[in-house]
Amino acid sequence: MAFDGLFTHAIVHELQTTLATGRISRVSQPYPNELLMVIRAHRHNYTLLMSANPSYPRVQLTTIPYSNPQVPTNFTMTMRKYLEGAILEEVKQVGNDRIVEFYFSSRDEIGDNQQLVIFVEIMARHSNVTLVNRKTGKIIDAIKHVSSDQNRVRTLLPGAKFIMPPKQDKVNPYLPNQLYSDFATQLADNPSELANQLQKHYEGFGRSSAVDLAERLHASSHLPTTYHQFLAGFETPQPVLIRQSNNKQSFAAFPPLNLPAGASTSSFATLSELLDAYYVRKAELDRTKELAGQVLQVVNNELKKDRRKVKKLHRELDDAARADYYRIRGEILTTYLGRLKAGMEKIDLPNFYDNNKQLTIKLQPDLTPSRNAQRYFTRYDKLKKSVAYVNEQLAKTQDEIHYLQNIKDQLDFAAPADVKDMKLELQQEGYLKKQHKGRRKQKVSKPAQFHTSDGTLVMVGKNNLQNDRLSFKIANKNDTWLHVKDLPGSHVVIRDAHPSEETITEAAQLAAYFSKARDSANVPVDYLKVKQLHKPNGAKPGFVTFRNQKTIAVMPKLLNE
């Protein structure tokens, strides 16, 4: 079941029951398209998530911890101004659509009562969270601004009149009607087409909901009872997470009549707990991509420049390889200097390096014979001297490419906090503009923690700043350090001076998993004591040297956190 109008009906009922009459104590915006409110209701604090994420839009209560940006956005400041201290009066659904209204009452600056409403539109890339003054109907602010150039029907900008999205010509299934009975009678032998008709004519029916109701009506001996029991199920939900045999997941407000072959279900106490379980990985990956946009753009631009530079340096090396071309001509001209005359453009002379075969040498007619010979020697000397410099620049550029590619690879398994560390690293290395003075200094996030079968703690750095901090500040000298062999990857530390062979193997599997070799079958991993690590002066973040290591080959595997 998708987050359709029926599931929205269920979550609205849950939020109304849990949050009504609660007071907002805190408002934050941890990600560009997501708003969090801490609401004190019935002697408990609840965190309400309103998400306009284009991939995972929703409203729910959440217990997943979030970290706020150091500087709040203008939208956040506006929401705090109007909503902190406000009372949530009611949560309503518009028809059976994916639009939820949150009604608030609060006091303005002079103490007068003001009535506010937040409209949460759960509509894929058109999703939005909009704060509106109920008295004037004007928009105070929206999490996504939509100008008239973007949408000629609706303008979602501060000060504009709020207009509801165009309403579909469909029937609200919760209002009295007989359509389901007509369709079920006409299509008694075709449940698939029955589902199509239900989805086409009823408001808020996603495909999975339509299929489930069609199957129930098809198997029913009394259509009205089946229909109303199905709708009532969204007011007394039994939330389930459905895992299919191909590892894909879906969720439902209650178990469907027919599960796919090989599927299993997990039950949850509330719809919000279900959504936390379903979205915890998906939403984190999406947030990471969203935050990683700037990092990825900077890294890709620098890689592009460096690869162009490498090509140019290789061309210069190819030119330098032809240095003897100029030396030979300079020596031949010097030997036969008496044959050169002023004003000559070329001359044929015997090449004593090639059995005295005739060699045509170009000359500058405006130069003297000796200056023409010297011109070839000057070119030869310049090319020979350039080789050392070009090789030095080539090595530096290749190192930078390796460093930037490593950052790009780290994004594959990064969490949002890791991306913030990467941005800080790029600022420190001069790839990104540094933050303004006076802002609070950003702290490097903590390495990930895992436990092996015998309970030993293993720590994993998921970016270069974490790697440095883990290896040289957190780890003890006698802890065991691991890293995938000769490839980019995470620093992994076993917090035990004498780990068992099984623990080393499991930690090595982690090191292989958090590396470029994640999809390989047999990955060599080096391991040694932390005290054997060395970081050269001026080395890039995450770079270390070591020797006397041991190596173990393992299959990449993620352990329990």
Side-chain angles (χ1 to χ4, degrees):
M1 181 180 293
F3 208 116
D4 58 8
L6 291 167
F7 195 91
T8 303
H9 182 97
I11 197 72
V12 164
H13 185 267
E14 178 175 295
L15 297 179
Q16 169 66 16
T17 303
T18 307
L19 300 178
T21 72
R23 183 183 297 273
I24 299 176
S25 60
R26 189 165 65 251
V27 177
S28 58
Q29 188 182 359
Y31 304 102
N33 294 320
E34 297 182 356
L35 185 72
L36 288 178
M37 295 182 190
V38 176
I39 300 177
R40 179 75 175 175
H42 312 299
R43 298 185 179 182
H44 290 281
N45 286 334
Y46 299 96
T47 302
L48 173 65
L49 169 65
M50 300 178 179
S51 176
N53 185 302
S55 301
Y56 310 112
R58 63 199 187 279
V59 289
Q60 64 165 106
L61 299 177
T62 182
T63 58
I64 298 174
Y66 297 90
S67 58
N68 290 319
Q70 290 182 318
V71 180
T73 65
N74 290 336
F75 178 75
T76 306
M77 296 303 291
T78 300
M79 301 301 275
R80 287 176 179 174
K81 174 184 174 182
Y82 283 91
L83 292 175
E84 285 189 349
I87 301 296
L88 176 59
E89 296 180 336
E90 188 178 12
V91 184
K92 291 174 62 177
Q93 181 183 18
V94 177
N96 196 50
D97 207 348
R98 290 170 298 164
I99 303 175
V100 183
E101 300 169 321
F102 292 84
Y103 290 91
F104 300 93
S105 63
S106 67
R107 299 283 180 181
D108 60 19
E109 295 90 338
I110 61 175
D112 290 341
N113 185 55
Q114 59 180 352
Q115 301 296 310
L116 306 169
V117 58
I118 287 182
F119 294 92
V120 181
E121 301 170 44
I122 306 169
M123 299 178 179
R125 64 188 181 90
H126 299 296
S127 300
N128 215 331
V129 177
T130 311
L131 177 65
V132 176
N133 185 306
R134 286 161 60 183
K135 183 177 179 181
T136 64
K138 289 187 177 181
I139 296 171
I140 297 172
D141 208 349
I143 204 165
K144 296 179 187 176
H145 287 182
V146 180
S147 66
S148 56
D149 293 336
Q150 297 169 285
N151 190 327
R152 288 178 292 178
V153 178
R154 300 177 73 212
T155 299
L156 297 176
L157 294 173
K161 192 79 173 177
F162 181 78
I163 302 172
M164 279 285 190
K167 187 174 176 60
Q168 294 180 311
D169 186 21
K170 293 186 177 182
V171 175
N172 184 338
Y174 284 93
L175 297 179
N177 71 91
Q178 289 295 319
L179 280 174
Y180 67 90
S181 181
D182 296 338
F183 295 146
T185 302
Q186 295 168 12
L187 302 167
D189 298 325
N190 194 340
S192 177
E193 182 57 30
L194 173 56
N196 291 339
Q197 292 300 316
L198 292 172
Q199 196 172 8
K200 181 178 178 181
H201 289 85
Y202 281 115
E203 182 181 33
F205 267 77
R207 183 61 188 173
S208 54
S209 298
V211 168
D212 190 24
L213 177 56
E215 290 174 346
R216 291 172 188 270
L217 292 174
H218 182 68
S220 173
S221 59
H222 191 264
L223 296 178
T225 300
T226 300
Y227 177 78
H228 291 294
Q229 284 178 344
F230 177 79
L231 295 181
F234 292 95
E235 295 182 359
T236 55
Q238 303 168 30
V240 290
L241 184 66
I242 303 166
R243 293 183 180 87
Q244 299 182 27
S245 55
N246 59 2
N247 291 325
K248 287 187 177 182
Q249 294 184 338
S250 59
F251 59 86
F254 47 82
L257 181 66
N258 298 315
L259 282 173
S264 61
T265 62
S266 301
S267 298
F268 293 84
T270 67
L271 296 169
S272 292
E273 290 179 17
L274 166 67
L275 294 176
D276 266 355
Y278 178 78
Y279 284 114
V280 61
R281 294 295 181 190
K282 297 176 183 292
E284 183 173 270
L285 288 173
D286 197 73
R287 292 182 189 115
T288 300
K289 290 178 183 177
E290 191 173 31
L291 292 173
Q294 185 183 18
V295 172
L296 199 57
Q297 183 180 15
V298 169
V299 169
N300 283 336
N301 287 343
E302 293 297 327
L303 282 172
K304 192 175 181 180
K305 286 192 289 186
D306 283 344
R307 284 164 181 156
R308 282 200 303 262
K309 186 176 180 180
V310 166
K311 289 181 180 179
K312 181 183 176 183
L313 291 171
H314 277 302
R315 286 196 299 268
E316 291 181 13
L317 282 178
D318 291 340
D319 289 342
R322 297 176 66 242
D324 283 344
Y325 171 94
Y326 298 98
R327 178 183 60 80
I328 290 170
R329 280 154 179 76
E331 290 180 358
I332 292 172
L333 287 176
T334 302
T335 302
Y336 297 102
L337 202 59
R339 296 191 188 184
L340 275 66
K341 305 296 180 187
M344 294 178 70
E345 294 185 355
K346 62 181 180 179
I347 187 171
D348 292 328
L349 294 172
N351 182 358
F352 41 74
Y353 287 105
D354 191 16
N355 298 321
N356 289 322
K357 292 180 181 178
Q358 290 296 303
L359 177 66
T360 300
I361 302 175
K362 292 181 180 180
L363 303 171
Q364 289 286 347
D366 56 335
L367 298 180
T368 63
S370 61
R371 290 291 301 276
N372 264 303
Q374 189 59 42
R375 185 172 67 90
Y376 278 98
F377 283 123
T378 300
R379 180 65 175 158
Y380 167 74
D381 289 338
K382 185 177 180 180
L383 288 174
K384 290 299 287 183
K385 289 177 181 177
S386 71
V387 171
Y389 174 78
V390 171
N391 278 326
E392 180 185 353
Q393 290 299 308
L394 188 59
K396 286 182 178 178
T397 307
Q398 294 284 18
D399 286 344
E400 185 172 60
I401 288 174
H402 177 81
Y403 167 72
L404 292 169
Q405 187 61 52
N406 184 32
I407 291 180
K408 191 174 178 179
D409 292 338
Q410 288 171 351
L411 289 171
D412 292 341
F413 46 80
D418 302 321
V419 177
K420 293 178 182 178
D421 290 345
M422 292 178 190
K423 290 180 75 171
L424 177 61
E425 179 184 346
L426 291 176
Q427 288 171 356
Q428 293 174 348
E429 294 299 310
Y431 295 103
L432 273 176
K433 188 176 180 181
K434 289 189 176 181
Q435 293 180 344
H436 298 299
K437 291 182 179 179
R439 289 188 180 177
R440 188 172 53 188
K441 187 176 180 182
Q442 180 181 326
K443 293 183 179 179
V444 177
S445 58
K446 295 180 180 179
Q449 297 187 359
F450 301 86
H451 289 87
T452 59
S453 300
D454 61 5
T456 303
L457 175 63
V458 178
M459 304 184 77
V460 179
K462 293 168 66 181
N463 57 66
N464 291 326
L465 295 184
Q466 280 187 20
N467 286 337
D468 276 355
R469 187 164 179 263
L470 173 60
S471 298
F472 297 105
K473 291 187 177 180
I474 296 176
N476 297 322
K477 295 294 183 182
N478 288 319
D479 287 344
T480 301
W481 184 90
L482 305 94
H483 191 282
V484 66
K485 188 177 184 65
D486 299 330
L487 284 174
S490 293
H491 293 196
V492 176
V493 170
I494 302 173
R495 299 306 306 269
D496 189 339
H498 305 287
S500 65
E501 291 297 323
E502 183 181 13
T503 292
I504 292 174
T505 299
E506 291 181 12
Q509 290 175 327
L510 264 182
Y513 182 86
F514 288 103
S515 78
K516 184 78 172 175
R518 175 186 288 196
D519 297 324
S520 302
N522 201 30
V523 182
V525 175
D526 293 330
Y527 67 97
L528 59 150
K529 293 296 182 183
V530 169
K531 61 186 176 184
Q532 295 174 258
L533 293 176
H534 174 67
K535 188 171 185 66
N537 291 333
K540 293 279 190 185
F543 181 81
V544 296
T545 59
F546 52 86
R547 59 184 178 178
N548 300 326
Q549 72 275 16
K550 297 179 181 178
T551 305
I552 183 174
V554 295
M555 176 83 74
K557 184 180 178 182
L558 186 64
L559 305 182
N560 293 324
E561 296 189 33

